[in-house]
Amino acid sequence: MSRRRGIMSEQLKNEVAKELGFYDTVQREGWGGIKSRDAGNMVKRAVQMAEENLQDSNRS
């Protein structure tokens, strides 16, 4: 079975992890080392960013 390609780029994931304060864990342990709560907060923030970008593009 092939692995599904991620929706978020590595750059975006790193940016959000830095913003939320657990990027050091990602550097030490990889993405598998973060808490499920952190992963959920990361997705929540990414959705929020996407919604903000969509609103900005609709205003233009």
Side-chain angles (χ1 to χ4, degrees), residues 2-42:
S2 67
R3 194 166 181 175
R4 190 171 157 211
R5 198 176 117 208
I7 294 174
M8 290 176 31
S9 69
E10 282 297 313
Q11 181 180 358
L12 177 60
K13 289 193 293 189
N14 290 334
E15 179 183 328
V16 173
K18 287 175 186 176
E19 182 179 321
L20 297 176
F22 57 86
Y23 183 69
D24 57 330
T25 302
V26 173
Q27 286 186 308
R28 280 193 319 270
E29 303 175 29
W31 290 107
I34 66 172
K35 298 175 184 173
S36 59
R37 174 173 282 175
D38 290 335
N41 287 336
M42 187 171 78

